[in-house]
Amino acid sequence: MKITLLVVGKTDSDYIKDGISDYVGRIGHYIPFEMKVIPDLKKVKNLSEQVQKEKEGKLLLDHVRQDDYLILLDERGTEFSSLMFASFMEKKMIAGLRNVVFIIGGPYGFSVSVYDRANLRVSLSKMTFSHQMVRLIFTEQLYRAMTIIKGEPYHHE
């Protein structure tokens, strides 16, 4: 199974970039993983939030294949503990899924077409985080899930 994290816009802060880079490298020891960055939309000043979501949605869906299992990181999604998320990921691996794509949307969320295409929505917390921080938190949790699956001591109960 390959996992892709699809995000809108580049990561700005160096400390967040460094953290993401560290976890991306660690994840690669367990499973094929890639982070794809969709460039921010240009000239959005005169576009409504809805139009921005629709344009971003089209760009995102252009990077998703029909057989990909698509998971949106969304505040209204299912919440998992770290152990539950590891179990969920292990089941997807055992089920033989070829590609799992997680998406972090833009500042206004997802378009209806992206919601309609998604197989699942996952919330990282009831708290709100910046899209930049979500990238770091998600990569750490994915790494944690891989270590839990392998029975390694990174996660403590």
Side-chain angles (χ1 to χ4, degrees), residues 75 125-130 134:
E75 63 189 8
S125 173
K126 290 182 181 178
M127 294 180 166
T128 301
F129 302 111
S130 73
V134 169

Side-chain angles (χ1 to χ4, degrees), residues 3-12 16-17 20-21 24 33-42 56 59-63 101-106 131-132 135 139:
I3 299 172
T4 301
L5 176 61
L6 189 56
V7 301
V8 176
K10 63 184 173 70
T11 305
D12 298 322
I16 294 177
K17 282 187 219 177
I20 292 168
S21 179
V24 167
F33 179 79
E34 175 183 22
M35 184 169 152
K36 287 185 183 178
V37 179
I38 306 300
D40 283 315
L41 295 174
K42 305 287 187 231
E56 282 176 352
L59 291 173
L60 289 167
L61 292 177
D62 284 347
H63 287 83
V101 177
F102 289 88
I103 297 182
I104 300 171
H131 286 76
Q132 305 285 311
R135 298 166 191 203
T139 54

Side-chain angles (χ1 to χ4, degrees), residues 22-95:
D22 180 38
Y23 287 114
V24 167
R26 292 180 189 203
I27 294 165
H29 295 289
Y30 298 92
I31 194 163
F33 179 79
E34 175 183 22
M35 184 169 152
K36 287 185 183 178
V37 179
I38 306 300
D40 283 315
L41 295 174
K42 305 287 187 231
K43 300 177 184 176
V44 297
K45 187 177 179 182
N46 295 321
L47 298 179
S48 69
E49 291 178 14
Q50 187 60 37
V51 170
Q52 286 182 54
K53 286 195 301 189
E54 289 171 12
K55 287 181 176 284
E56 282 176 352
K58 181 175 179 350
L59 291 173
L60 289 167
L61 292 177
D62 284 347
H63 287 83
V64 176
R65 295 192 315 242
Q66 190 164 350
D67 63 337
D68 289 344
Y69 190 87
L70 184 59
I71 301 172
L72 306 181
L73 295 176
D74 184 87
E75 63 189 8
R76 291 174 298 278
T78 301
E79 288 188 23
F80 292 106
S81 68
S82 294
L83 290 173
M84 290 167 50
F85 182 63
S87 175
F88 169 81
M89 291 304 298
E90 186 173 34
K91 287 176 185 169
K92 296 302 175 199
M93 293 163 71
I94 291 169

